[in-house]
């Protein structure tokens, strides 16, 4: 049975799960969920994802939600195929990976998500963005990226010399902030710009973007 991703093709975290499937050469089927019509809030959907959010996966009857948990599951289950080392096994490498995941979770995701919410999600809901909040979020994210510049000046990726899920976790909302909304945060940070170019030019991510 082909792994099924329940979600909308352009939903950022659906794209993330699809990207990791591409990295690990895992065939998948996207089961469309009409999120702008609220299909994810229906009882039928909440039976499998009680929070009413996309995505969740069905892997031959195994149901799993929360995108980062899904990505870890895919990377570990299919460790022997596709891109190696997305979740390292060596204790020290794994610790550095977990550190990098925490960096994304605490210092990138909430601010990039907040910007996307104000500038895109509110628009789809017919609401006006809170530009004052956007300004605060942008200023905070800029400060965080200064630390990224230091880290990436010493190593190729956030967890060391090899790409991991921690890097890939930045793709969905980073693409929105840096590319779709075109906020210029990279030009003054050559190490971040180099890293961003590398992870966004991966065939796996380009394939997922092309399907949207």
């Amino acid at each position: 049975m082909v792994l099924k991703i329940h979600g909308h093709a352009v939903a950022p975290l659906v794209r993330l799960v699809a990207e990791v499937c591409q990295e690990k050469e895992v065939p998948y089927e996207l089961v469309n969920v009409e999120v702008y019509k609220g299909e994810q809030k229906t009882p039928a959907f909440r039976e499998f994802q009680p929070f009413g959010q996309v995505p969740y996966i069905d892997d031959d009857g195994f149901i799993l939600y929360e995108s980062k948990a899904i990505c870890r599951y895919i990377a570990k289950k299919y460790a022997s195929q596709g891109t190696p080392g997305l979740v390292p096994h060596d204790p020290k490498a794994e610790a550095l990976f977990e550190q990098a995941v925490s960096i994304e979770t605490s210092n990138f995701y909430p601010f990039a998500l907040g910007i996307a919410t104000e500038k895109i999600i509110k628009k789809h809901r017919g609401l006006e963005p809170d530009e004052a909040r956007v300004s605060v979020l942008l200023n905070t994210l800029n400060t965080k990226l200064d630390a990224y510049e230091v880290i990436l000046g010493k190593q190729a990726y956030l967890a060391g010399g090899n790409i991991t899920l921690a890097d890939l976790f930045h793709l969905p909302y980073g693409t929105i902030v840096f590319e779709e909304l075109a906020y210029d945060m990279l030009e003054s940070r050559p190490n971040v710009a180099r890293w961003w170019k590398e992870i966004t030019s991966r065939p796996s991510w380009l394939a997922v973007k092309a399907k949207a």
Side-chain angles (χ1 to χ4, degrees):
M1 179 179 175
V2 175
L3 184 147
K4 295 181 179 179
I5 305 173
H6 291 255
H8 195 276
V10 297
L13 299 180
V14 173
R15 282 182 162 186
L16 174 62
V17 171
E19 200 278 343
V20 174
C21 284
Q22 293 273 356
E23 290 280 350
K24 299 306 293 180
E25 300 175 358
V26 177
Y28 64 92
E29 173 189 347
L30 179 64
V31 180
N32 187 55
V33 178
E34 296 291 349
V35 294
Y36 292 117
K37 295 181 180 179
E39 188 176 342
Q40 77 279 16
K41 303 298 184 182
T42 62
F45 187 90
R46 286 179 182 268
E47 180 181 351
F48 301 102
Q49 216 293 6
F51 295 97
Q53 300 168 338
V54 295
Y56 76 83
I57 64 165
D58 180 347
D59 186 20
D60 198 18
F62 176 63
I63 305 299
L64 186 67
Y65 54 88
E66 294 297 330
S67 59
K68 292 178 182 178
I70 295 169
C71 291
R72 287 172 184 262
Y73 167 75
I74 293 168
K76 289 184 175 183
K77 180 177 178 180
Y78 301 98
S80 63
Q81 64 190 61
T83 305
L86 291 183
V87 177
H89 297 295
D90 173 79
K92 290 183 179 179
E94 184 179 6
L96 291 171
F97 163 72
E98 293 296 349
Q99 175 180 264
V101 170
S102 294
I103 289 170
E104 189 274 341
T105 300
S106 300
N107 298 289
F108 186 87
Y109 178 76
F111 311 108
L113 172 62
I115 294 165
T117 298
E118 291 294 335
K119 300 296 287 187
I120 295 178
I121 296 175
K122 278 191 172 182
K123 180 180 179 181
H124 284 293
R125 295 175 178 171
L127 303 172
E128 292 296 320
D130 182 341
E131 293 295 350
R133 183 166 188 265
V134 172
S135 179
V136 170
L137 291 166
L138 286 170
N139 287 337
T140 303
L141 184 56
N142 264 304
T143 300
K144 302 295 187 181
L145 289 175
D146 287 338
Y148 274 64
E149 180 69 8
V150 174
I151 295 167
L152 293 168
K154 300 176 181 178
Q155 57 200 43
Y157 300 98
L158 285 178
N162 299 307
I163 194 166
T164 67
L165 289 181
D167 302 290
L168 302 181
F169 287 165
H170 292 75
L171 286 169
Y173 285 101
T175 296
I176 291 174
V177 172
F178 302 144
E179 298 177 14
E180 293 180 27
L181 295 174
Y183 286 112
D184 182 12
M185 298 183 174
L186 303 179
E187 186 174 349
S188 62
R189 300 179 177 92
N191 296 314
V192 178
R194 182 267 310 159
W195 166 78
W196 184 250
K197 182 179 179 180
E198 288 185 11
I199 64 174
T200 55
S201 62
R202 295 182 71 80
S204 53
W205 182 242
L206 296 176
V208 168
K209 289 176 68 176
K211 290 183 178 180

